[in-house]
Amino acid sequence: MTVTEATTVPSTGSPNIRRWIRQRQIAANGRVDPATVYSVILALGMAVALVGQPIIAVVWPAAPTPDEEPSALVLVGAGLLLLAFFGILRQLGPMAVSRSDATWLLTAPVSRRTLLGPALALSTMAAVLVGGVTGLAVVGHLAARPASLFWPLTGAIAGSAAALGLARAALHCQRRPASARHIDLLGGVVAGTLVGVAASAQLADNPYPLRLGSFPASGALVLACAALVVAGILWGTARAGLDVWPTSRIVDASANAGVYADAIYAVEPSFLTELSTRRYWQRRTNIRTLGLIRRPGLPPLVGQDLLIVRRKASRLWWLAGVAAAPTVTADGPRWLLITLVLVGAMAAAGFTSESTHRDAANPALVRLLGLPEQQVRGQRLVVPGLLAALWSGLALGGLQAAGLLSGPWWALGLAIGPAAAVAALQRARASAASIGNVLIETPLGAFPAGMLLWLVNGLDVLAVLTLPVSIGIATGTALEWHLVPIQLALSALGCVLLIRWTPTRSIKP
């Protein structure tokens, strides 16, 4: 091959531009290293040997769900898993390209369908795999033994069709952000409803368990195949419209995927917080909504947190649905119930944590308001405290209404709110990089200690400030009213200590 032939670039409109680039890369760097292939195959073999049997036991157990357990929990769990898959696709794009392609090929007159083909194929394989395994697990828990061969096929096909439909909805949301809010709101309502159904099924009697053997397997297989055909047609329309996709949507998705990759590689979760902040505030803010911050009598930082709550209104349904999680797992160990209550309260308080993270990362913006550090911390505790109080009141009130706990637990849940806000504020003001840089040696390599400390950051504070709640749930005794003021005093003590005696600390991303 002559130098002229080696450097001849095909036309930019040619679909073989990727093949030409791959050939140039192979000529420069060589093909795949056999050692890399061996390492990947060995890692996959070890993963199958270690977790293969437990996964098979979860997907297809030896016996179906017992008659005394609610069969609705299986369907609810499958629905929540598919909704989580939809949420992951919404966060990642899913139509994204690599940074090099976004820099050099996305703005060039290259066939958009060829450029986005790998991302579409990866989304298709992920949807078929997740949906097929989920549907197979549902059939494995509900089908009577011995199960006909039609039922595993029906479950896998129906799950794949549902996952492809959700992936098509994620594509629609990426291309048309105006309708994404409505779809996200609908997903939050469905998730909250599913969690509520799971809680009611856990508490109610289940005299008629669901068994798939009572339905004709051939008819169910035909319906599943029809659903898969419809999902395939919808997916085909998405592939046909790749050439007219807006460039800005693909660039945003590529940037988001790059940030997630950087966060995993650097083990730095603060990158995701920065990404969340940019995604929520990159669009032009309506002047009418800014009036919420400038309203007389309302502190400016409280107004900003309320504006964030207004922007994230669709996620409030997720919080309301998760409040039923303690009731669903009430039959489990007490330590799990305590962990769900504390972690859920702190998660509700962290609903507006991005503003606190921004204050610590860029304190110059706060100084422009002329507010001292103590007033900033005091204002940042208001909205998180209210959200955490409402969530804790719902969670513990649900346990009280179910008869699992006796006494005024709803009032004790309201008293947890300020303590959870203190823990969430403490967590938001620190990152994994700023907590500790000591490396922990493991057989797989060095691991930064800051990540381990960041995982428990805030939980230790909340565990100390909510000792009455933990003791009451652990013992299961009837709650007395005198514990409510004690919890209020502990929460107030935590707020005072955070506002007055916490040293100023900034984030170093």
Side-chain angles (χ1 to χ4, degrees), residues 133-413:
V133 172
T134 303
L136 189 62
V138 170
V139 172
H141 284 79
L142 298 182
R145 302 295 191 270
S148 173
L149 182 61
F150 288 107
W151 283 119
L153 292 176
T154 301
I157 293 174
S160 300
L164 282 176
L166 292 176
R168 182 63 179 88
L171 289 177
H172 180 78
C173 292
Q174 181 183 357
R175 184 176 179 182
R176 294 179 174 83
S179 59
R181 292 185 180 180
H182 304 288
I183 296 179
D184 291 341
L185 179 60
L186 179 61
V189 172
V190 172
T193 304
L194 288 177
V195 175
V197 170
S200 61
Q202 181 73 12
L203 299 176
D205 295 331
N206 191 42
Y208 303 104
L210 178 61
R211 285 290 176 264
L212 296 179
S214 58
F215 301 96
S218 57
L221 181 60
V222 170
L223 293 178
C225 292
L228 184 61
V229 170
V230 173
I233 293 175
L234 294 177
W235 196 253
T237 58
R239 185 181 184 279
L242 290 180
D243 290 330
V244 294
W245 265 60
T247 304
S248 59
R249 306 284 183 261
I250 305 173
V251 170
D252 293 341
S254 302
N256 296 338
V259 171
Y260 278 98
D262 292 341
I264 295 174
Y265 179 78
V267 198
E268 181 48 68
S270 63
F271 293 165
L272 304 182
T273 306
E274 296 289 342
L275 172 64
S276 177
T277 303
R278 289 196 300 268
R279 292 183 66 178
Y280 271 99
W281 296 100
Q282 65 184 355
R283 291 183 292 270
R284 183 181 301 174
T285 304
N286 194 347
I287 300 298
R288 198 179 309 172
T289 61
L290 287 178
L292 184 63
I293 300 179
R294 302 193 305 266
R295 184 168 298 177
L298 185 65
L301 299 184
V302 176
Q304 183 188 9
D305 288 343
L306 290 176
L307 182 58
I308 292 176
V309 173
R310 183 174 179 176
R311 279 290 186 96
K312 297 182 177 181
S314 59
R315 298 189 181 183
L316 292 175
W317 290 98
W318 291 88
L319 282 179
V322 174
T327 307
V328 174
T329 59
D331 295 336
R334 292 289 179 172
W335 63 265
L336 178 60
L337 188 59
I338 295 173
T339 303
L340 286 177
V341 171
L342 298 185
V343 173
M346 195 170 70
F351 197 73
T352 59
S353 61
E354 62 188 42
S355 59
T356 303
H357 185 88
R358 174 61 62 183
D359 293 344
N362 193 1
L365 297 177
V366 181
R367 294 194 193 103
L368 293 176
L369 296 176
L371 296 175
E373 182 69 18
Q374 295 181 357
Q375 291 188 18
V376 171
R377 294 172 185 170
Q379 293 182 22
R380 290 301 188 196
L381 287 174
V382 175
V383 176
L386 292 176
L387 292 176
L390 291 176
W391 190 93
S392 304
L394 285 175
L396 295 180
L399 292 173
Q400 178 185 349
L404 302 173
L405 296 175
S406 59
W409 282 93
W410 62 271
L412 191 64

Side-chain angles (χ1 to χ4, degrees), residues 345-351 353 356 384 419-429 458 462:
M346 195 170 70
F351 197 73
S353 61
T356 303
V422 171
L425 190 64
Q426 183 74 11
R427 184 182 182 87
R429 294 175 64 248
L462 186 58

Side-chain angles (χ1 to χ4, degrees), residues 56-69:
I56 293 176
V58 171
V59 174
W60 194 270
T65 303
D67 294 344
E68 61 272 10
E69 294 185 8

